[in-house]
Amino acid sequence: MANSIDFSDYVLDTQKVADFRQLIENEITQTDHLDITWQYLIPELGEGGTCSLFGQLQEAPFDLTQHVDKRQKNVDAMAALARIVKFVEQQNLIDWFGIYQSRPINNQTQLLKLSYFGKPSRPLFPVDEDYARISNNAFVALYGKGRVINNVEHYVANGGEYYTCDPAVKSEVCLPYFSQSGEVLGIIDAEAFNNDVFTSDALALLQAVCEIVPNYLPE
């Protein structure tokens, strides 16, 4: 990768990152059938379209094919992303995980949720300065700087802005992934229902994901 994520407060074991990379690549090459999710349920949004109304779902599912067509290259990419998500889920560390890609949508750059596991959440996040003030996802995509929050309550109490999708979330990591030239291509977002989940070992897993995802993005 041309850019690396700054984990100032953590020391990552580079061998563990490499080991996770190999395990994830092995998962991607599996030949057993795995469904690709092209439609998923999403929450209603509050006044102004900013906050998700947790537990209130829109009747119609979100249709990814409105933004990602089903040419074979994209189908293969989406299958690989689904396997990455499956691998992360199988580690039993995280309660929610998603992979987002920065794409031009409705005349602005937005984060599009391509693949995830966990409870329904919004499919799109605008990437701009206004949204970056309240959303970790938008902040990380806009500035290319990861955020590791191991205690959401303390983070908010100390003045941190936090976009609440699920009130059960107690810790969160949001990390960018980059092109070879250093452009932010998107983010991954991981959430847990306990504090202090994101140790150096957990971050090694997420670092490995960030290194692999750019190789498997739809057009």
Side-chain angles (χ1 to χ4, degrees):
M1 282 172 50
N3 281 28
S4 59
I5 300 165
D6 179 15
F7 292 114
S8 301
D9 298 328
Y10 301 84
V11 178
L12 296 193
D13 184 330
T14 56
Q15 186 58 54
K16 284 189 176 179
V17 175
D19 290 344
F20 275 127
R21 281 197 60 158
Q22 186 59 59
L23 290 170
I24 293 169
E25 292 286 7
N26 291 345
E27 175 63 35
I28 290 171
T29 60
Q30 295 300 307
T31 58
D32 59 303
H33 178 74
L34 183 66
D35 288 331
I36 301 171
T37 300
W38 293 98
Q39 293 186 330
Y40 50 77
L41 296 174
I42 59 175
E44 295 281 3
L45 295 180
E47 186 176 353
T50 55
C51 295
S52 300
L53 299 178
F54 184 72
Q56 299 183 39
L57 300 179
Q58 295 185 24
E59 186 172 333
F62 183 79
D63 186 0
L64 267 175
T65 62
Q66 296 298 310
H67 307 286
V68 178
D69 65 63
K70 287 188 175 183
R71 74 184 79 170
Q72 190 58 50
K73 185 174 182 180
N74 285 348
V75 172
D76 293 343
M78 291 293 291
L81 296 179
R83 290 196 177 278
I84 293 171
V85 169
K86 176 185 175 184
F87 180 86
V88 173
E89 184 175 16
Q90 289 175 336
Q91 305 314 300
N92 294 318
L93 294 170
I94 298 165
D95 297 292
W96 194 98
F97 177 76
I99 298 172
Y100 298 77
Q101 183 182 21
S102 292
R103 298 176 71 101
I105 296 174
N106 297 332
N107 300 314
Q108 68 175 135
T109 300
Q110 298 199 55
L111 288 170
L112 173 65
K113 187 174 66 179
L114 297 175
S115 189
Y116 80 104
F117 75 81
K119 296 179 181 178
S121 64
R122 65 181 300 160
L124 294 165
F125 283 87
V127 180
D128 57 38
E129 291 185 359
D130 288 338
Y131 231 84
R133 294 189 184 98
I134 62 170
S135 165
N136 287 322
N137 289 6
F139 176 91
V140 171
L142 185 63
Y143 299 112
K145 297 179 180 179
R147 279 187 169 171
V148 180
I149 302 172
N150 263 315
N151 189 312
V152 169
E153 184 179 359
H154 288 177
Y155 177 77
V156 173
N158 289 325
E161 293 287 348
Y162 191 76
Y163 179 97
T164 301
C165 292
D166 183 347
V169 173
K170 294 186 177 180
S171 53
E172 178 179 9
V173 171
C174 189
L175 303 177
Y177 56 84
F178 303 95
S179 69
Q180 288 296 324
S181 63
E183 176 190 5
V184 178
L185 298 177
I187 67 157
I188 65 170
D189 186 32
E191 300 174 349
F193 298 157
N194 294 297
N195 292 324
D196 302 316
V197 167
F198 296 107
T199 62
S200 292
D201 285 354
L203 293 175
L205 165 64
L206 299 177
Q207 169 69 31
V209 171
C210 285
E211 293 179 7
I212 291 175
V213 165
N215 300 324
Y216 298 101
L217 291 174
E219 297 179 340

